């Protein structure tokens, strides 16, 4: 990638106006080559930083005019980071040199090592890095920072990449080197860059280290293959600024640009951390595979027409996803499901309840995802890949799961599926109008039409039922206290979901009715009320509210538009449910 970038850097430098010019990319390349000849491990240590790839790919796109304005750096500064790479490698190897490098808010990036400064006051300026065999001096208009070659230790003016301590050197010992907790690299953010260093308290970083090292030890004991994959494929963990998870979902991500880096919010405990690390490691694995083997066709019809972006229900996402996103989710969560299947054999009590719930949820969601993957969107290799996954998870369905977690898992999956349909699917407006007319005249409901995709990302809200279910199973006393507090002061939506999770059908019905009165157009209220009913009490109307809530919503809107008021969703669903569709 650097060699590809080198072909463009100097030409771009000549077009970039800056007093004193922009340092030559060829000079940086020659220094890297010299350093590699003397100490190849020094260059490897720099290039192993995932954010180096992120910088290089984004700069290539920028030079090609396709970066969409994501970089806030002047072009000369992005180009000048080539010299920061050379300086970092030379410092590790003790190769004497003097280089001009960019400084962002006075901070100088030394890839694979950390950030030096501040050595300047301005938003963007230039600094000098002078390297000899003993260390380096980073000098700017504000002052200078003295660095030795012991780059892992913090000293005044130097913020190193933090090495996660305490990783267990068990059966899956980390052959790929150290694991970094990266809060400093300017290209660590997957969306906007460059980003100044964060300044979390040391105690907070110690919590992160405890979670990561504990999760690695857990994987090494219970799932050595997953520990080995994590060790080989993940080099840096980038903490999100989100507060810790509430025994529920964690915000995490990987990026094709920064292979080897993952970002996540702080998981609730070590077990959840282990599950998230598997999830993101699997994304890394699939990203690597997709760079070698085509699993997805360029269009949904075998390539006969220009590419189309067919969208699907992905059980793990609130937005419609293209086939490659569905494939990523499937592969990642199959790995997570395998972890929970194994983990439940090692635990008892509430931890076993939690593991049973996660396994029950994932085996239902995997089944839904496989059903959505259509063969005309996959290559022959892609179909083989999916078939192997199907074979792997067949054994899950024979696993006995405790009744309580199984019921909650089924409820949760049905809720997510129905709410997704209500948000993103529609029926044709003329058909909805004809159905509204039939309703108004008292005629029987005609056959219902198929639904089509109309994504509405503006309607998405954070999931609450799943996190509440996890608290209910793993910390019942805490759940009871929170439910009591919400019963006094909380919103109707949250009170209804607390009651539904607890199996209190009467209280749930009251909560959903109050929520519906407050938000009469929100289909989640009707879906929640239908799910709160015992299964034996659900008729055709409740079934339609769960299977095709978008039909009820669209016909209800057409009835109101025709002057017929707002019919009760349950009554309208009962009528529509008689259509036999």
């Amino acid at each position: 990638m650097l060699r590809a970038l080198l072909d463009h850097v100097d030409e771009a430098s000549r077009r970039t106006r800056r007093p004193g010019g922009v340092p030559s990319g060829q000079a940086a390349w020659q220094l890297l080559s010299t350093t590699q000849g003397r100490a190849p491990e020094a260059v490897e240590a720099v290039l192993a930083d995932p954010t180096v790839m992120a910088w290089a790919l984004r700069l290539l796109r920028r030079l090609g005019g396709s970066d969409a304005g994501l970089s806030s750096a002047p072009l000369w500064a992005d180009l000048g980071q080539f010299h920061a790479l050379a300086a970092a490698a030379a410092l590790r190897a003790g190769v004497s040199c003097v280089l001009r490098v960019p400084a962002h808010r006075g901070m100088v990036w030394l890839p694979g090592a950390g950030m030096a400064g501040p050595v300047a006051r301005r938003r963007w300026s230039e600094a000098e890095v002078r390297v000899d065999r003993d260390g380096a001096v980073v000098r700017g208009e504000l002052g200078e920072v003295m660095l030795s070659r012991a780059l892992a230790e913090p000293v005044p003016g130097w913020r190193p990449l933090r090495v996660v301590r305490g990783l267990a050197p068990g059966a899956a010992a980390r052959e790929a080197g150290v694991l970094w907790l990266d809060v400093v690299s300017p290209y660590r953010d997957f969306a906007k860059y460059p980003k100044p260093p964060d300044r979390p308290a040391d105690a907070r970083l110690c919590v992160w280290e405890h979670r990561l090292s504990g999760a690695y030890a857990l994987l090494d004991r219970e799932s050595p293959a997953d520990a080995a994959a994590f060790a080989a494929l993940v080099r840096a963990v980038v903490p999100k600024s989100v507060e810790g998870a509430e025994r529920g979902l964690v915000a995490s991500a990987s990026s094709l640009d920064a292979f080897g880096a993952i970002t996540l919010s702080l998981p609730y405990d070590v077990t959840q951390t282990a599950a998230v690390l598997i999830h993101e490691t699997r994304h890394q694995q699939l990203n690597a595979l997709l760079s070698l083997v085509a699993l997805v066709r360029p269009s949904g019809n075998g390539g006969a027409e220009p590419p189309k972006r067919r969208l699907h229900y992905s059980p793990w996402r609130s937005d419609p996803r293209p086939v490659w996103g569905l494939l990523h989710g499937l592969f990642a969560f199959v790995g997570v499901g395998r972890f929970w299947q194994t983990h439940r054999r090692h635990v008892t009590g509430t931890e076993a309840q939690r593991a049973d719930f996660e396994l029950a949820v994932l085996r239902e969601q995997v089944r839904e995802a496989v059903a959505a993957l259509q063969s005309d969107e996959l290559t022959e290799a892609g179909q083989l890949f999916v078939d192997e996954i199907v074979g792997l998870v067949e054994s899950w369905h024979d696993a006995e799961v405790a009744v309580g977690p199984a019921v909650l898992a089924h409820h949760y999956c049905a809720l997510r599926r129905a709410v997704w349909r209500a948000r993103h699917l529609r029926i044709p407006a003329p058909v909805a109008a004809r159905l509204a007319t039939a309703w108004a005249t008292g005629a029987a409901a005609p056959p219902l039409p198929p639904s089509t995709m109309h994504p509405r990302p503006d309607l998405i809200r954070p999931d609450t039922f799943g996190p509440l279910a996890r608290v209910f199973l793993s910390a019942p006393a805490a759940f009871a206290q929170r439910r009591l507090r919400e019963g006094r002061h909380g919103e109707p939506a949250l009170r209804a979901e607390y009651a539904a999770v607890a199996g209190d059908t009467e209280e749930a019905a009251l909560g959903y009715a109050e929520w519906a009165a407050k938000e009469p157009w929100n289909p989640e209220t009707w879906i929640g009320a239908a799910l709160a009913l015992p299964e034996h009490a659900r008729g055709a109307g409740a079934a339609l509210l769960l299977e095709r809530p978008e039909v009820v919503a669209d016909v209800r809107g057409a009835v109101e538009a025709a002057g017929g008021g707002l019919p009760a969703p349950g009554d309208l669903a009962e009528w529509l449910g008689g259509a036999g569709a």
Side-chain angles (χ1 to χ4, degrees), residues 1-2 5 45-59 78 81 85 109-115 161 180-190 193-195 235-238 255-262:
M1 191 60 62
L2 291 179
L5 191 58
V46 172
L47 300 190
D49 184 341
T51 62
V52 171
M53 177 68 89
W55 160 78
L57 279 168
R58 293 163 184 174
L59 180 53
D78 261 352
Q81 300 292 17
L85 267 66
W109 179 40
L110 294 178
M115 298 285 282
L161 286 166
W180 291 322
L181 197 57
D182 188 355
V183 296
V184 298
S185 298
Y187 296 89
R188 69 191 185 278
D189 192 280
F190 294 165
Y193 42 86
K195 185 178 181 180
R235 183 63 183 269
V237 173
V238 180
S255 170
L256 275 169
D257 284 359
F259 186 82
I262 63 174

Side-chain angles (χ1 to χ4, degrees), residues 434-446 559 575:
R434 289 197 294 272
L435 285 163
T437 300
W439 163 267
T441 59
V559 170
W575 177 74

Side-chain angles (χ1 to χ4, degrees), residues 127-159:
E128 178 189 86
V129 179
R130 186 175 294 270
V131 179
D132 60 29
R133 64 182 182 180
D134 296 320
V137 179
V138 181
R139 182 177 292 113
E141 60 192 25
L142 188 64
E144 64 182 31
V145 175
M146 305 287 293
L147 297 176
S148 72
R149 291 171 62 186
L151 295 172
E153 297 302 320
V155 295
W158 174 241
R159 298 198 60 197

Side-chain angles (χ1 to χ4, degrees), residues 1-76:
M1 191 60 62
L2 291 179
R3 182 62 187 82
L5 191 58
L6 183 65
D7 291 337
H8 305 282
V9 165
D10 282 348
E11 181 184 349
S13 298
R14 287 190 291 271
R15 299 196 310 266
T16 303
R17 294 184 177 181
R18 174 169 170 75
V22 180
S24 166
Q26 290 288 344
W29 180 265
Q30 289 302 321
L31 179 56
L32 279 169
S33 298
T34 298
T35 304
Q36 187 180 47
R38 296 187 190 179
E41 70 281 358
V43 176
E44 284 295 319
V46 172
L47 300 190
D49 184 341
T51 62
V52 171
M53 177 68 89
W55 160 78
L57 279 168
R58 293 163 184 174
L59 180 53
L60 274 173
R61 292 195 201 105
R62 183 175 186 177
L63 295 176
S66 61
D67 79 323
L70 295 177
S71 177
S72 63
L75 180 57
W76 69 263

